[in-house]
């Protein structure tokens, strides 16, 4: 058996943390990343949560907008198309 055949494949299915962050953003559009991840800091590290935000933005589930001091998070294209309202 080859090493890469034994490795589990990465899933793109959202878990409770991803869904919780998307729900928070849909209820509070324009929040900074620190506010979005604050609820989940006891569960995961800040760097892991920030990476998950980036992953959600790459999958068009969240939209990130940089300002001078912080990055604001908005619902992404998929959320808008699905009709998820704030």
């Amino acid at each position: 058996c080859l090493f890469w055949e034994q490795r589990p494949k990465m899933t793109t299915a959202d878990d409770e943390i991803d869904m919780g962050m998307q729900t928070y953003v849909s209820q509070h559009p324009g929040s900074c990343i620190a506010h979005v991840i604050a609820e989940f800091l006891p569960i995961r590290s800040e760097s892991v949560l920030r990476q998950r935000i980036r992953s959600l933005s790459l999958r068009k589930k969240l939209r990130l907008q940089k300002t001078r001091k912080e990055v604001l998070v908005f619902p992404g294209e998929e959320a808008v198309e699905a009709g998820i309202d704030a």
Side-chain angles (χ1 to χ4, degrees), residues 51-62 64:
Q51 183 57 40
R52 291 177 84 139
I53 293 273
R54 179 163 160 60
S55 173
L56 288 169
S57 74
L58 290 173
R59 291 188 275 151
K60 309 272 187 209
K61 295 189 176 195
L62 294 178
L64 304 179

Side-chain angles (χ1 to χ4, degrees), residues 23-72:
T23 301
Y24 183 90
V25 170
S26 67
Q27 294 171 353
H28 305 93
S31 297
C32 67
I33 290 179
H35 292 147
V36 176
I37 67 173
E39 177 182 342
F40 305 100
L41 285 173
I43 302 168
R44 296 277 188 256
S45 70
E46 181 177 355
S47 60
V48 168
L49 293 170
R50 286 180 179 273
Q51 183 57 40
R52 291 177 84 139
I53 293 273
R54 179 163 160 60
S55 173
L56 288 169
S57 74
L58 290 173
R59 291 188 275 151
K60 309 272 187 209
K61 295 189 176 195
L62 294 178
R63 181 174 57 89
L64 304 179
Q65 180 179 344
K66 293 182 181 179
T67 64
R68 285 186 179 202
K69 294 186 178 181
E70 52 195 17
V71 177
L72 305 180

